[in-house]
Amino acid sequence: MSVFVLLLGFPGVGKLTIAKELGSLISAKIVDNHWFNNPILRLLDEDQTAPLPNGIWEYTGRVRQAVLDAITTYSSPSANFIFTHAGVEGDERSARTYQQFYDAAGQRAAVFVPVRLLCAEEELARRVSSPARRDHLKTTDVETSRSRSQQALVLDIPHQHALTLDVTFTSPAESAAAIRDHIARQRLRSAALRADSERSASGRNAPLMSGFNGNKRHRANRQA
């Protein structure tokens, strides 16, 4: 049973770093949110100084959907994927992006596991300030990071397989191991639910067939 993991968290929390650790643990392909965004953003302002046009995210959304369509159509049914998304609670665009991943998992009949990664304000500001982030068009704005930590919440859409993990004091390897263990439990749970559903369906069909055959015998006796 394949799995689609969605790592949710503010910029700088370590989504991609944890994804790389997790990918080796569950044999998954990583699809980072910047894979969708950067082909479009690099066409506009690599210095990240000018404000982005309001409609630019519609284009990155199309790129994301094209990638997801290719995955659901052509990738192996057993392939696992890890996606990243800087979703914010109460933001409509964040919710639409989440829905794209959720729908793709449904099309593949994959176990969908959303994981919220949380981090304390000071530590998140320290991580987001890393100069290496600029090479990947990632924000390094500490003040914006602090403001986001104080005023916003990581996207939190209820789901039976969801996990919330505070990564303030844990290494990427430790965080990935915790997520791996959670995924294993959700896979077992999904497999059990699927088996129960199949048994229930089989049980519902059995009396119908029995009754159908009994009616045939009854009609045959009457005709005799």
Side-chain angles (χ1 to χ4, degrees):
M1 184 179 296
S2 64
V3 62
F4 276 28
V5 182
L6 178 59
L7 300 183
L8 298 153
F10 290 156
V13 76
K15 295 184 293 297
L16 181 56
T17 305
I18 293 172
K20 291 176 179 178
E21 294 282 351
L22 180 61
S24 65
L25 296 179
I26 65 172
S27 298
K29 298 179 180 179
I30 299 169
V31 185
D32 185 47
N33 61 317
H34 283 271
W35 290 16
F36 309 126
N37 298 341
N38 289 0
I40 302 299
L41 299 185
R42 287 189 186 281
L43 301 174
L44 302 178
D45 181 25
E46 292 197 25
D47 294 332
Q48 305 179 49
T49 56
L52 293 171
N54 290 333
I56 198 63
W57 302 114
E58 295 300 323
Y59 290 91
T60 61
R62 294 178 197 175
V63 174
R64 182 184 305 107
Q65 191 59 57
V67 172
L68 292 173
D69 288 344
I71 288 173
T72 58
T73 303
Y74 296 113
S75 68
S76 169
S78 62
N80 300 319
F81 288 89
I82 303 171
F83 305 95
T84 65
H85 174 38
V88 176
E89 182 68 11
D91 178 64
E92 182 180 349
R93 181 168 59 84
S94 293
R96 288 200 308 269
T97 299
Y98 177 100
Q99 190 67 39
Q100 285 181 290
F101 295 117
Y102 177 83
D103 291 344
Q107 292 173 34
R108 274 282 303 273
V111 179
F112 181 65
V113 182
V115 180
R116 300 173 69 239
L117 302 175
L118 309 183
C119 187
E121 178 184 336
E122 289 300 323
E123 175 61 15
L124 188 61
R126 185 191 68 80
R127 296 181 187 182
V128 84
S129 65
S130 171
R133 291 175 53 82
R134 294 185 63 86
D135 296 337
H136 303 285
L137 299 188
K138 296 183 176 184
T139 179
T140 57
D141 189 331
V142 172
E143 290 308 313
T144 297
S145 176
R146 292 186 185 281
S147 176
R148 187 184 294 113
S149 294
Q150 295 167 8
Q151 301 178 19
L153 296 173
V154 175
L155 185 65
D156 188 8
I157 296 179
H159 190 278
Q160 60 181 340
H161 300 151
L163 171 67
T164 295
L165 191 64
D166 191 323
V167 299
T168 304
F169 302 111
T170 58
S171 69
E174 292 170 330
S175 299
I179 297 170
R180 175 203 56 196
D181 294 344
H182 176 75
I183 290 170
R185 291 191 294 269
Q186 302 315 308
R187 276 176 157 165
L188 289 174
R189 177 183 179 186
S190 295
L193 290 174
R194 183 172 297 182
D196 288 344
S197 177
E198 291 174 352
R199 282 194 294 268
S200 297
S202 177
R204 286 194 300 270
N205 291 335
L208 292 175
M209 293 302 295
S210 175
F212 177 72
N213 291 334
N215 289 338
K216 288 179 66 177
R217 288 195 297 270
H218 179 68
R219 287 198 298 271
N221 291 336
R222 290 184 59 184
Q223 289 173 358

